[in-house]
C-alpha cells in the first residue's frame, strides 16, 4: 500500500515541481511506494493528519507538537541553515518607526502560515497589540500582503522573512521593515509517521547523505535547499516546548 | 554555583542588598538604576533542570544578562533575580510549574553589571516520557504599558 507524503502548504510556488522530483528520488532510494499529496491550505492538511492519512510530512513548526505528541510522528531532517523568521513591515511612507508606536485598530495583512503569524503577533505585543484589537486580513500569498501595504489597504504586514527578501526590489523599495525576528531555532522539519517509523534510521541516513551525491544535490537544488541535517528527538522536543511558550 | 556580585563588574552608582534565594541560598546584590532596552525581534531562551539550575542558554540570554555562557551553565536561574521583584511572583511561578502548568508574567531581571531589563516571561515544564525533566523559559519584549503597571504593582507585593 502506498504511503502518503505531504508538504506544508506554505511552500514556495517556485518549488512545486522540485517536491515531485524529490518524491520520485525518495521512492527510488527507499524502495517505498510514496504518493505526494499537496493540500491547498493548512486546514485541509490538518484534517488529513487527524484522520491518519499522512505518513511523511514536511511540516510547519506550528504543527510539530500535534504531529509528535498526538500522532506519534518522529523528526527526520531539517534544511541546513534555514530557520523560519518573521518580518513586520509597513509602507515606506508610514511615519511609524517602532512597533511600540502602532495604534489599536490597525489593519494587519497576513497569510495563513501559522508559525509566521505567531512570531509576527508576538512582535506586535510591545505595541499593546493583539488579536483582540487589530483587524486581521488573511491573504493567499506574501506578494498580496505587500500589495495591500502598497495600496494602503493594510497598515502592517507580517511576512516570512525569506518571502519578504525574495520580493522584487521595486516592491521592497516602497516598504519599510519595523522588526525582523532573530529566533534561529524555529524551522520546518521532514517527519515520519507511525506506519513508517521502523524505517526511520534508513530514511534519515539517506536524506542526510543526499547532498553528497551529485544527483541528490541536484534534486535538493530544486527545493532551494543546500542539504538536510538530521534532527535528534530532544531538539524537536525543545522546539515544540518553545512553540508552546510562544502560543500563549 | 552562585557567587556574590563584584564591585568591579558594576557600571554606575549602585546600591547593595543581600537576597535570600530558593534553596537556602543568599547572595549579595549590587544594583543600579540603568535599564537595558529589550532588543526587538529576539527571544531569550533558557532551560533548567528540575531544581532551577541552568542547563542551556541562547546567545540573546548571554548578551542581555552580561554573563558568559560558562558563568551561566550549572548556576541557579536566580542569578537573574532583581531585588525589586517580589518573592510572591517566584512562589507563584514555582507553584504553577511544579503542578505541570505554564506560567507567564512580567519580570525585572538583574544583569551582571548591576543594571536591569524587563521581559515578558513564559515558563513551561519539559515533559519527557511522562516525567518533568526540567523547565524551559522564553522571554520576549514586553509592552511598556504592562511594565509601567508592574512598576506600580510590585512594590505593594512585598
Amino acid at each position: 500500500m502506498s504511503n502518503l507524503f505531504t508538504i506544508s502548504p506554505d511552500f514556495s510556488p517556485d518549488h512545486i515541481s522540485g517536491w515531485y522530483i524529490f518524491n520520485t528520488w525518495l521512492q527510488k532510494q527507499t524502495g517505498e511506494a510514496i504518493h505526494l499529496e499537496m493540500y491547498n491550505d493548512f486546514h485541509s492538511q490538518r484534517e488529513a493528519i487527524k484522520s491518519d492519512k499522512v505518513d511523511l510530512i514536511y511540516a510547519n513548526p506550528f504543527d510539530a507538537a500535534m504531529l509528535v505528541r498526538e500522532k506519534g510522528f518522529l523528526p527526520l531532517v531539517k534544511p541546513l541553515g534555514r530557520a523560519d523568521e518573521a518580518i513586520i513591515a509597513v509602507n515606506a511612507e508610514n511615519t511609524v518607526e517602532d512597533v511600540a508606536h502602532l495604534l489599536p485598530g490597525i489593519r494587519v495583512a497576513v497569510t495563513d502560515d501559522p508559525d509566521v503569524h505567531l512570531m509576527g503577533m508576538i512582535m506586535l505585543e510591545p505595541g499593546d497589540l493583539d488579536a483582540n484589537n487589530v483587524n486581521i486580513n488573511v491573504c493567499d500569498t506574501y506578494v498580496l500582503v505587500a500589495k495591500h501595504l502598497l495600496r494602503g489597504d493594510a497598515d502592517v504586514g507580517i511576512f516570512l522573512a525569506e518571502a519578504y527578501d525574495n520580493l522584487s526590489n521595486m516592491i521592497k523599495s516602497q516598504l519599510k521593515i519595523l522588526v525582523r525576528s532573530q529566533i534561529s531555532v524555529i524551522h520546518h522539519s521532514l517527519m515520519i509517521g507511525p506506519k513508517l517509523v521502523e524505517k526511520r534510521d534508513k530514511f534519515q541516513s539517506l536524506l542526510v547523505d543526499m547532498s553528497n551525491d551529485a544527483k541528490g544535490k541536484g534534486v535538493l537544488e530544486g527545493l532551494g535547499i543546500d542539504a538536510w541535517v538530521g534532527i535528534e528527538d530532544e531538539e524537536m522536543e525543545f522546539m515544540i516546548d518553545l512553540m508552546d511558550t510562544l502560543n500563549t | 554555583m552562585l557567587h556574590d556580585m563584584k564591585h568591579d563588574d558594576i557600571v554606575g552608582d549602585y546600591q547593595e542588598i543581600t537576597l535570600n534565594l530558593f534553596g537556602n541560598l543568599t547572595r549579595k546584590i549590587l544594583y543600579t538604576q540603568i535599564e537595558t532596552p529589550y532588543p526587538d525581534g529576539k527571544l531569550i531562551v533558557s532551560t533548567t533542570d528540575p531544581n532551577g539550575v541552568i542547563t542551556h542558554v541562547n546567545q540573546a540570554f548571554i548578551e542581555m544578562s552580561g554573563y558568559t555562557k560558562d558563568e551561566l551553565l550549572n548556576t541557579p536561574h536566580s542569578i537573574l533575580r532583581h531585588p525589586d521583584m517580589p518573592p510572591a511572583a517566584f512562589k507563584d511561578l514555582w507553584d504553577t510549574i511544579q503542578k505541570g502548568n505554564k506560567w507567564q508574567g512580567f519580570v525585572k531581571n538583574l544583569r551582571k553589571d548591576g543594571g536591569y531589563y524587563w521581559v515578558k516571561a513564559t515558563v513551561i515544564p519539559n515533559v519527557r516520557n511522562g516525567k518533568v525533566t526540567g523547565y524551559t523559559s522564553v522571554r520576549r519584549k514586553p509592552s511598556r504599558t504592562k511594565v509601567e503597571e508592574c512598576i506600580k504593582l510590585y512594590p505593594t507585593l512585598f
Side-chain angles (χ1 to χ4, degrees), chain A residues 70-82:
Chain A
E70 294 170 32
K71 291 295 175 187
F73 275 72
L74 290 174
L76 290 170
V77 288
K78 64 179 178 182
L80 174 68
R82 253 228 333 246

Side-chain angles (χ1 to χ4, degrees), chain A residues 45-46 49-50 57-75 114-115 118 186-189 191-192 233 235-247, chain B residues 102 124-125 127-128:
Chain A
Q45 189 182 66
R46 285 190 194 123
I49 297 165
K50 278 180 188 156
I57 181 168
Y58 185 62
N60 186 285
F62 194 87
D63 293 326
M66 182 254 289
L67 286 161
V68 171
R69 295 192 176 156
E70 294 170 32
K71 291 295 175 187
F73 275 72
L74 290 174
D115 69 325
L118 182 64
I186 294 175
H187 52 77
H188 280 57
S189 317
M191 302 172 78
I192 194 161
D233 290 351
E235 183 187 349
M236 177 56 73
E237 290 289 343
F238 176 75
M239 190 179 79
I240 291 171
D241 282 342
L242 189 92
M243 293 300 289
D244 198 11
T245 65
L246 298 182
N247 203 6
Chain B
K102 197 182 294 187
I124 59 161
V127 182
R128 306 286 185 266

Side-chain angles (χ1 to χ4, degrees), chain A residues 69 122-123 125-126 128 179-183 234 237-238 241-242 244-246 248, chain B residues 40-43 45 47 56 102 104 120 122 124 126 128 138 140-143 145:
Chain A
R69 295 192 176 156
I122 283 169
M123 292 197 291
E125 283 182 0
D128 286 311
V179 198
R180 178 190 285 263
S181 75
Q182 298 170 68
I183 297 172
E234 182 51 34
E237 290 289 343
F238 176 75
D241 282 342
L242 189 92
D244 198 11
T245 65
L246 298 182
T248 311
Chain B
D40 281 322
K42 290 196 179 180
L43 295 178
V45 183
T47 53
H56 164 85
K102 197 182 294 187
Q104 195 162 64
K120 179 179 180 182
T122 310
I124 59 161
N126 306 130
R128 306 286 185 266
V138 178
R140 55 218 221 204
K141 186 170 183 169
S143 94
T145 316

